[in-house]
Amino acid sequence: MRIAIASDHAAVALKADLREYLIELGHEVADLGPDSADSVDYPDYGYKLASVIADGTAERGVALCGTGLGISMAVNRNPACRCAVVSEQLSAYFSRDHNDANVIAMGARMIGIEQAKACLRTFLETPFGGDRHARRVGKLSHPPVSETA
Ligand code: RB5
């Protein structure tokens, strides 16, 4: 798969480890940065990741920050993205089976490398369940327009 990976400064080390892991698994990986642990703002990298999912350059994304929360919020601002914050495999499994997640978010301060690899692998290997879930997932791309907007 074509997979894009991005983080903030809190997760550059985890990003490097997971990038190598993805390459070992045979995936094509685009590392969207950052390249150092200098302080950056997670929305900038979350938006960058979301844009390559939205334009089809990447099929899946991996979003990392200290908790996984901030960068997932940024990614999910793009309606093409379904980003799930995960810290154990069962959530990684259901993020695919029920929600057809196309981006996984994890927190470098919340999860160890072996657990992160296990979650990532589950995220990559679990198919979408489709059926009743497809109708619900479809609605995520079309949020109702506020009548007061
Ligand atoms: C950066 O210190 C931290 O706030 C960020 O990595 C992330 O945890 C935000 O959600």
Side-chain angles (χ1 to χ4, degrees):
M1 266 189 253
R2 285 174 282 111
I3 301 176
I5 188 166
S7 74
D8 73 357
H9 54 282
V12 274
L14 180 61
K15 175 164 68 63
D17 288 345
L18 293 182
R19 181 186 62 219
E20 293 317 304
Y21 182 58
L22 288 168
I23 292 167
E24 272 171 36
L25 292 177
H27 298 288
E28 188 184 314
V29 185
D31 185 342
L32 306 182
D35 299 326
S36 80
D38 294 346
S39 186
V40 295
D41 298 332
Y42 57 79
D44 297 335
Y45 289 87
Y47 296 149
K48 209 168 163 181
L49 180 57
S51 74
V52 298
I53 295 290
D55 71 16
T57 310
E59 296 158 86
R60 296 281 181 91
V62 181
L64 308 167
C65 67
T67 57
L69 296 170
I71 199 162
S72 74
M73 291 177 191
V75 171
N76 276 325
R77 296 241 156 190
N78 188 316
C81 295
R82 293 175 301 279
C83 177
V85 188
V86 154
S87 56
E88 34 68 40
Q89 272 176 280
L90 193 57
S91 296
Y93 174 83
F94 281 114
S95 79
R96 290 288 313 137
D97 183 43
H98 284 202
N99 312 116
D100 197 19
N102 51 11
V103 181
I104 186 173
M106 293 184 282
R109 295 171 180 157
M110 314 300 286
I111 191 171
I113 182 61
E114 294 310 322
Q115 181 83 331
K117 285 180 181 174
C119 289
L120 180 52
R121 196 158 182 163
T122 297
F123 167 73
L124 294 173
E125 292 179 354
T126 305
F128 176 43
D131 194 33
R132 69 190 186 281
H133 304 300
R135 181 184 70 248
R136 296 162 183 161
V137 167
K139 289 185 178 183
L140 290 176
S141 303
H142 304 286
V145 178
S146 163
E147 287 174 18
T148 57

